[in-house]
Amino acid sequence: MVSSSEVDEDERVTDSRETESVMSETPRCGPGVKCLHSEEPIHSNITRIHQGLRKIQGIALKTMLKALIMLKREREDMGRDEKPMALEELSEYGDEQLETLVGEAVEFCNDAARSGKLVDKLEEVATSDSEASACHSLATGLNSVLLDFKDRDIGRLKTCSANDLTLYNTGSNTNLDSKLLMKVSDGKSKSKPDIYESRYEDLLKSAPGLGTLSFEELAAYMETNQVSGSQSSKSAATVPRIEWSDIVSCLEVKKSQGEWRQPLRRNWEQHGYSTRSLIQDDDPRFKSPSPTASSAPNVAGSRTVRGGLKRERDPNDSLDEPSSKRSKTSSSGDECDTPLWSVHPGLLPAEIQCSFYGLELLRSRWNRTHSIVTLFSDDEFSLRWYDSLGCIRSHAISLSGEELPLAVATIILLQRFHAPMRGMANIELKANIDGEETFFDVPSSARPRWEVRGRRPIAVRPLPVAGKELSEQGPNSTPPPAKTPLDDCFFKWYWRESDRKAEKDIVDVAKARAQKYLPEGHASDVIDHLPDIYHSEDYELLSTFHIRSFCQLDTTGALIPCAMMSKRLVSMEEAFEPDEVRVQVWDILRCLFLLWALGISHGDVSLDNIMSTLPSEDGTKRMVLNDFDLALVMTPGDESPGKNGLVERTGTRPFMALDLLDDTDKLVKRIRRYDIESVFWSLLWYCSRKWDWTEGTNQKIWGRKWRWLRDLNVKDPVPDADVEEECIPLWTAVAVTICTEENALMMSHTRAYRRANKPPRTDKDFLELCETMFPRAEWYKSWLWMDFAVKEDRGPPS
């Protein structure tokens, strides 16, 4: 057993790190200083957003506009008969359209009759006493731009259909359900944006009685009235209202005591805005090199993998300083040094508040690919793009300087977006199930995880598409619903790294290798415990790679969405009683052992990923190792994938091996033992979920697990009262297994190895040790699977 002194030493390290983390998140102004800083604890979700912003990628607004134009052409403007553009040609297209767009914005700003209302409203924003009045003035000013350009084609940037036109509305009286935001706000964040952009059609639906107003009439109404979807009466429960899924983009407004009305008026009255000065190529601040072949996406190739993707055709760092204050170099990757705490009670920093809105939009629909948020901070204007890879943020420009037309150009461009560029992927879902093409849908309530960046998966029961199936029964008959191919299926949508294999590909490789290499009659030891995946489809056109490539940013870790249909499984908790688990867990241990021998590393073993088949007619069921999101394919016989234990690839934290949790330097390589260790942490969780092993850093969770190990009495591991009586034998077996004296070293961090000067146990030794607490049934002893290895050299992984 590891000595108490050794554990205490590492605990002190862990505790000191935790204390430093808390201290760094608590502002101090010095003794005797009276300040308005909030001293309340920082909610973990606010911390999570801050962590998601660590790798903000910053670019000039002009560069972002060009990239959006290029992406718009690829996603929604290319005609059916048009050939894909080569990347160099696409870049030239972006330059041409950007120049045309900015030229139109300059002409607008230099025309006093056309831009007068916008400038008047911006002056009201500059002089208003409150953010509420500033928001109303700003929304009216922005709508004046939308009204002016609603019927104007700008080069290849065509106008939208009437119903798809958008307007800006203040959010003060808008009723938005935002449960997760309400949970994390703690009085520090807003549940709705200051201003939001929504479709004309959706605005009319949210305000009963205005259904006959034209686009122009609605804009005029909104200038003096609030279009509100709030429910203020008992009968309002059935009244339509604005939802997050109806919002196209959000705007955050921040005001200080700065005075910028006079320079705004002076520059505007001079009518000297110039297209050349805004997009000239000799200014390094705006220089955007043409994409190179090495960094560019294979645009032509992307056409071949779109699958069911359809185009919509008609329907606080220097980055936030005005451009005049910045150095003339553009950054392609920036750390977000925005503090976590509130500068004043009841407020969050603008950068984190914008991210809340971006995240709410990303979560509003299962198929939302990105979200757009604009920040107006006094006279500074900046744009943010959020997707599964993080945030791209434009450098702030000054509305009171010479850059007002760039802000106008941004509003005009956003007005011309259709559904795909608004982040709502138009995907026709279908899958080949047992040779039959089946159309399906996803429940409207499906939502991805609460995270700014990551895989953001959803896993749901698919629904039949209305109108795709026709009943053959008469109108008065009420037969039981016919069984469909979807009844026993499960749908998963997730974002995976584009340089990694899809789950179906990995599972197919594992099954093929099992058939090829395992002894006759034993391929089922692997195949029977892997999921049956019917269909998998990538949507390369929606990859996070493209926008970053067009922006000339780092594309490392680009993510691509993937739709997958598989045979339905149920949770292990639902399917198996504790006494069944104690025996059948060997299905998973053996499957994991053999997978590694075949060159497949799972990497994310957890309770949720150990599942069960549906009971057969005779009631039998099998444990299944599911979810190969983080799996890696190796050459059979390799002991490690050769990749370090990066945060994104280490698994689900309550079940991660201790070595990986303690790997602060990211030097620990993935090995088979870690997957096996995760099985036992999963069984512990099966018995009870009382432990706080979900919140905080990896190091904090590692410390909590070690304290549990230290305090556990191995000779008499009596569980707490919340462990149900039938789980006690299983709980005891798990506790003794992971706390056995010799095994403790094997499962501890590498520093303990060095102190004890003992080599780690082999995987076979460890499994034989496990058998003392988890006796194997006879069918697990039918062949010497613990000695199996692929010995011959078979080249690189297939």
Side-chain angles (χ1 to χ4, degrees):
M1 194 76 173
V2 179
S3 69
S4 299
S5 61
E6 289 172 345
V7 175
D8 289 341
E9 176 185 337
D10 290 312
E11 271 196 297
R12 286 193 291 273
V13 174
T14 303
D15 291 341
S16 66
R17 291 178 186 175
E18 292 185 20
T19 303
E20 289 171 3
S21 177
V22 173
M23 290 292 290
S24 66
E25 294 176 2
T26 306
R28 292 288 185 270
C29 293
V33 177
K34 194 172 183 179
C35 65
L36 297 176
H37 289 155
S38 169
E39 297 293 342
E40 299 177 34
I42 305 301
H43 194 284
S44 61
N45 278 8
I46 298 177
T47 305
R48 199 172 302 155
I49 282 183
H50 193 273
Q51 292 170 343
L53 294 177
R54 281 182 177 174
K55 294 182 180 179
I56 281 182
Q57 294 177 297
I59 56 172
L61 179 59
K62 170 249 182 179
T63 305
M64 181 179 280
L65 294 181
K66 175 185 172 180
L68 293 175
I69 290 171
M70 294 168 67
L71 192 63
K72 175 175 166 59
R73 198 271 177 185
E74 293 303 291
R75 287 193 179 177
E76 57 189 30
D77 287 349
M78 191 179 70
R80 294 184 184 275
D81 299 328
E82 288 188 89
K83 295 181 179 180
M85 286 184 178
L87 193 60
E88 184 176 352
E89 182 184 6
L90 184 60
S91 181
E92 292 175 357
Y93 170 88
D95 287 328
E96 293 169 0
Q97 299 306 310
L98 176 65
E99 185 172 1
T100 302
L101 174 64
V102 175
E104 290 280 354
V106 166
E107 184 177 331
F108 170 84
C109 292
N110 284 334
D111 187 328
R114 293 173 64 192
S115 59
K117 177 172 283 189
L118 171 64
V119 174
D120 288 344
K121 294 303 176 181
L122 289 177
E123 287 184 307
E124 290 179 10
V125 173
T127 58
S128 61
D129 295 329
S130 67
E131 286 186 0
S133 60
C135 290
H136 186 267
S137 297
L138 182 56
T140 302
L142 297 178
N143 286 340
S144 72
V145 177
L146 300 180
L147 286 166
D148 186 277
F149 283 92
K150 80 177 188 69
D151 295 322
R152 298 173 185 264
D153 287 341
I154 301 176
R156 296 285 297 274
L157 304 174
K158 306 299 183 181
T159 58
C160 294
S161 64
N163 289 340
D164 264 348
L165 288 171
T166 61
L167 287 170
Y168 290 96
N169 190 31
T170 55
S172 56
N173 293 328
T174 301
N175 191 339
L176 285 171
D177 281 335
S178 185
K179 294 181 180 178
L180 278 176
L181 263 181
M182 298 299 284
K183 286 183 180 178
V184 305
S185 61
D186 296 329
K188 301 185 186 69
S189 63
K190 304 169 189 175
S191 62
K192 44 186 166 276
D194 292 325
I195 301 174
Y196 65 89
E197 179 191 12
S198 193
R199 295 193 313 155
Y200 157 68
E201 186 177 61
D202 291 329
L203 285 169
L204 287 180
K205 289 179 182 178
S206 71
L210 301 181
T212 60
L213 293 184
S214 67
F215 181 79
E216 292 81 1
E217 290 170 338
L218 179 60
Y221 176 86
M222 292 169 61
E223 190 169 343
T224 55
N225 299 273
Q226 170 73 43
V227 175
S228 172
S230 61
Q231 298 180 5
S232 56
S233 65
K234 295 181 180 179
S235 61
T238 59
V239 174
R241 58 181 183 174
I242 286 290
E243 304 285 353
W244 280 102
S245 58
D246 299 323
I247 294 179
V248 172
S249 68
C250 293
L251 292 84
E252 173 72 356
V253 180
K254 291 296 182 184
K255 280 186 60 63
S256 65
Q257 301 302 316
E259 174 56 49
W260 51 279
R261 175 177 178 272
Q262 291 182 352
L264 168 66
R265 171 64 61 171
R266 182 173 59 250
N267 282 311
W268 178 71
E269 288 180 343
Q270 290 175 354
H271 308 304
Y273 298 112
S274 165
T275 303
R276 178 175 176 78
S277 66
L278 292 174
I279 60 173
Q280 58 189 349
D281 291 333
D282 57 348
D283 187 340
R285 196 174 37 145
F286 294 129
K287 198 163 184 66
S288 178
S290 296
T292 62
S294 61
S295 65
N298 182 359
V299 178
S302 69
R303 302 295 186 275
T304 64
V305 290
R306 286 180 180 173
L309 184 64
K310 302 188 298 182
R311 289 194 191 87
E312 282 277 340
R313 300 187 181 281
D314 182 26
N316 295 343
D317 49 48
S318 59
L319 291 179
D320 281 330
E321 295 179 5
S323 57
S324 59
K325 299 178 184 178
R326 280 196 318 270
S327 63
K328 294 187 177 183
T329 58
S330 179
S331 172
S332 63
D334 302 276
E335 294 291 324
C336 177
D337 60 1
T338 297
L340 292 177
W341 55 83
S342 305
V343 176
H344 301 286
L347 297 177
L348 276 177
E351 198 61 57
I352 293 179
Q353 189 65 64
C354 286
S355 296
F356 268 116
Y357 301 149
L359 184 51
E360 280 298 313
L361 291 176
L362 281 176
R363 294 188 66 256
S364 64
R365 297 171 181 258
W366 69 267
N367 59 343
R368 191 109 189 200
T369 59
H370 64 267
S371 59
I372 295 174
V373 178
T374 306
L375 174 63
F376 286 83
S377 181
D378 289 327
D379 71 328
E380 296 178 9
F381 173 97
S382 54
L383 193 66
R384 285 145 184 79
W385 168 289
Y386 300 93
D387 61 23
S388 296
L389 195 54
C391 174
I392 303 174
R393 177 177 64 178
S394 77
H395 301 310
I397 63 169
S398 173
L399 300 178
S400 62
E402 299 176 356
E403 297 167 311
L404 176 62
L406 280 180
V408 172
T410 303
I411 301 304
I412 299 170
L413 179 58
L414 297 182
Q415 181 191 38
R416 279 151 174 71
F417 282 176
H418 301 291
M421 284 301 292
R422 290 172 179 172
M424 291 162 274
N426 190 20
I427 297 173
E428 186 176 56
L429 292 172
K430 57 184 177 180
N432 190 311
I433 303 174
D434 294 332
E436 179 180 347
E437 186 177 73
T438 305
F439 292 88
F440 64 96
D441 207 344
V442 172
S444 59
S445 60
R447 296 288 184 272
R449 287 179 183 168
W450 174 272
E451 56 188 355
V452 179
R453 57 197 300 263
R455 300 193 304 277
R456 299 179 52 238
I458 64 160
V460 295
R461 295 279 299 278
L463 302 175
V465 177
K468 291 287 184 181
E469 69 287 339
L470 298 175
S471 173
E472 297 180 357
Q473 303 294 330
N476 298 322
S477 60
T478 56
K483 186 175 178 64
T484 72
L486 296 173
D487 290 345
D488 292 335
C489 291
F490 212 68
F491 172 72
K492 180 176 179 180
W493 172 270
Y494 67 104
W495 294 75
R496 63 173 175 81
E497 294 177 17
S498 57
D499 60 349
R500 291 165 59 82
K501 291 180 178 291
E503 280 191 66
K504 185 177 188 303
D505 294 336
I506 295 174
V507 171
D508 287 347
V509 169
K511 291 180 177 180
R513 289 184 180 180
Q515 292 279 14
K516 182 177 181 179
Y517 298 129
L518 291 178
E520 184 178 356
H522 289 287
S524 60
D525 292 352
V526 169
I527 294 175
D528 285 352
H529 305 291
L530 297 180
D532 291 322
I533 303 177
Y534 299 123
H535 182 85
S536 178
E537 188 167 1
D538 292 347
Y539 294 88
E540 195 276 341
L541 188 61
L542 302 178
S543 170
T544 62
F545 177 93
H546 299 292
I547 184 65
R548 285 163 178 80
S549 175
F550 297 158
C551 288
Q552 293 295 289
L553 295 172
D554 182 13
T555 59
T556 302
L559 301 174
I560 181 172
C562 183
M564 188 178 76
M565 184 73 81
S566 58
K567 193 169 185 178
R568 186 160 68 94
L569 301 169
V570 296
S571 70
M572 185 177 76
E573 295 169 290
E574 177 184 342
F576 294 102
E577 296 298 325
D579 58 335
E580 296 177 293
V581 170
R582 190 171 178 183
V583 175
Q584 296 197 45
V585 70
W586 282 101
D587 283 344
I588 298 302
L589 294 174
R590 181 172 60 185
C591 181
L592 279 171
F593 188 98
L594 294 175
L595 280 174
W596 273 86
L598 295 170
I600 307 295
S601 158
H602 186 279
D604 189 20
V605 178
S606 68
L607 180 60
D608 290 337
N609 292 340
I610 302 175
M611 305 190 74
S612 169
T613 60
L614 296 172
S616 62
E617 292 183 359
D618 62 2
T620 60
K621 51 189 180 289
R622 301 187 306 273
M623 283 191 178
V624 173
L625 184 62
N626 195 39
D627 196 349
F628 282 73
D629 269 2
L630 298 182
L632 294 172
V633 177
M634 309 175 288
T635 300
D638 284 355
E639 295 184 355
S640 172
K643 297 187 178 182
N644 294 338
L646 300 176
V647 173
E648 293 82 2
R649 299 187 177 187
T650 48
T652 307
R653 293 188 298 176
F655 315 105
M656 282 169 55
L658 291 172
D659 277 9
L660 295 177
L661 288 172
D662 192 34
D663 181 27
T664 56
D665 298 324
K666 306 296 183 290
L667 298 176
V668 175
K669 292 182 178 180
R670 185 185 294 181
I671 55 177
R672 174 162 48 192
R673 191 181 74 238
Y674 297 149
D675 278 359
I676 295 174
E677 180 180 340
S678 292
V679 172
F680 289 96
W681 291 114
S682 300
L683 295 183
L684 204 64
W685 205 261
Y686 170 92
C687 297
S688 173
R689 297 194 178 189
K690 58 163 294 235
W691 299 286
D692 55 346
W693 296 345
T694 58
E695 297 294 338
T697 64
N698 286 3
Q699 192 70 21
K700 290 179 181 178
I701 295 173
W702 172 83
R704 292 168 192 154
K705 282 189 173 183
W706 263 113
R707 281 191 287 275
W708 176 79
L709 286 172
R710 178 197 62 188
D711 296 336
L712 187 67
N713 184 345
V714 179
K715 295 181 180 179
D716 185 22
V718 179
D720 291 313
D722 64 335
V723 178
E724 296 182 8
E725 185 174 352
E726 59 268 26
C727 280
I728 291 178
L730 177 62
W731 192 96
T732 299
V734 175
V736 171
T737 299
I738 63 178
C739 293
T740 301
E741 182 173 355
E742 291 179 310
N743 182 40
L745 281 180
M746 195 285 300
M747 283 195 159
S748 69
H749 48 89
T750 53
R751 284 175 287 181
Y753 292 150
R754 300 191 188 102
R755 290 174 188 151
N757 196 26
K758 291 182 179 180
R761 283 183 173 274
T762 66
D763 296 327
K764 180 181 179 180
D765 287 343
F766 171 58
L767 288 172
E768 289 177 341
L769 175 66
C770 294
E771 192 171 7
T772 61
M773 295 305 298
F774 291 86
R776 282 188 292 164
E778 288 303 315
W779 63 84
Y780 294 113
K781 304 175 184 178
S782 58
W783 68 290
L784 300 178
W785 56 269
M786 293 183 194
D787 295 319
F788 172 77
V790 178
K791 300 183 183 301
E792 58 188 274
D793 183 10
R794 292 176 173 83
S798 58

